[in-house]
Amino acid sequence: MVKKLQSYAKKRTFKETPEPKPKIKRSKGKAIFVIQQHHASHMHFDFRLEVDGVLKSWAVPKGPSTDPKIKRLAVQTEDHPLDYARFEGIIPHGYGAGTVIVWDTGTYKNITEKNGVSLSMPEACEHGHIKIVLNGKKLKGIYSLMRFKEHDWLLVKGVDAYADARRKPVATEKQSVLSTKTIEKLDKKFKKMQGSDE
Ligand code: MN
């Protein structure tokens, strides 16, 4: 087992979940990001950045904001395989059981600096301060992630032309960017499945 994805693998039984198997893989072009809406025991958004062959991951209970004045809690979770970026559907039972849609995805650019010197993504993760420019379908422009406790970070929109205090994309832009699915649609299917299980 590849050490980097050990924690991801340990939590799952791949005969029983449609989630991708743990495999280190890099994008051919620019590094990618993905934001998945995940209705497990609680609704949240998983914010993931490709770093060194895996997706560094944070669970954001309230989802990302486009308002630079709003700080969103982002709790770091286990690294996920790159293939996870295209996963949506139903996790029937076990860890993370519930529904998943790809709420946004695209490429990103690392612009993290410390004392005027550029930091690589692994350095930025270690340092606990990440600054990136997203080029997604819904989210664009600068975002920062700042660690304030062991696993607790804050996700904040940077001030730029894409900052918009009125937009509230989490509430108003609900469709998957890979399909026309919404989490509500999948939730109905999930409930039916659970009903027929018993
Ligand atoms: Mn999740």
Side-chain angles (χ1 to χ4, degrees):
M1 174 52 50
V2 228
K3 209 178 164 197
K4 269 188 175 177
L5 292 170
Q6 223 165 40
S7 157
Y8 174 86
K10 265 189 194 158
K11 291 174 195 278
R12 294 166 174 85
T13 307
F14 292 99
K15 268 186 229 152
E16 292 172 15
T17 177
E19 295 168 287
K21 297 198 170 56
K23 192 182 161 203
I24 307 281
K25 199 169 144 187
R26 286 169 176 79
S27 292
K28 293 208 176 76
K30 294 176 180 164
I32 60 143
F33 82 94
V34 65
I35 301 170
Q36 279 152 321
Q37 188 176 7
H38 182 190
H39 193 185
S41 50
H42 299 280
M43 184 75 82
H44 60 276
F45 290 74
D46 288 301
F47 188 89
R48 311 189 199 279
L49 297 171
E50 178 183 356
V51 180
D52 253 1
V54 298
L55 295 172
K56 289 281 164 198
S57 299
W58 292 262
V60 184
K62 291 187 176 172
S65 174
T66 49
D67 180 353
K69 288 200 279 298
I70 291 181
K71 296 179 174 73
R72 289 281 155 89
L73 176 67
V75 181
Q76 192 165 10
T77 57
E78 78 276 18
D79 296 348
H80 279 51
L82 185 70
D83 287 341
Y84 211 92
R86 300 193 66 79
F87 174 74
E88 58 181 21
I90 290 173
I91 303 169
H93 45 80
Y95 183 72
T99 51
V100 178
I101 64 161
V102 175
W103 185 81
D104 197 17
T105 191
T107 58
Y108 79 90
K109 194 178 162 205
N110 171 29
I111 56 164
T112 313
E113 283 187 0
K114 189 188 175 188
N115 305 324
V117 180
S118 301
L119 294 188
S120 69
M121 276 305 283
E123 284 170 345
C125 292
E126 184 68 26
H127 176 50
H129 192 166
I130 300 169
K131 198 171 179 183
I132 48 176
V133 181
L134 299 182
N135 186 16
K137 291 195 169 109
K138 291 176 182 167
L139 298 189
K140 289 182 194 291
I142 300 168
Y143 276 84
S144 288
L145 274 158
M146 284 155 291
R147 185 167 58 211
F148 65 95
K149 246 166 66 185
E150 200 185 351
H151 299 291
D152 295 345
W153 299 59
L154 291 173
L155 175 68
V156 190
K157 176 76 192 87
V159 178
D160 60 16
Y162 298 106
D164 186 345
R166 291 163 307 171
R167 198 171 136 211
K168 303 191 171 42
V170 160
T172 59
E173 300 167 42
K174 288 175 172 263
Q175 279 192 348
S176 157
V177 295
L178 295 188
S179 65
T180 57
K181 288 174 184 145
T182 60
I183 210 82
E184 285 84 2
K185 243 190 238 175
L186 283 179
D187 279 350
K188 274 187 197 156
K189 221 170 128 188
F190 181 54
K191 261 195 188 150
K192 263 190 203 160
M193 274 174 62
Q194 282 190 312
S196 63
D197 256 12
E198 283 148 10

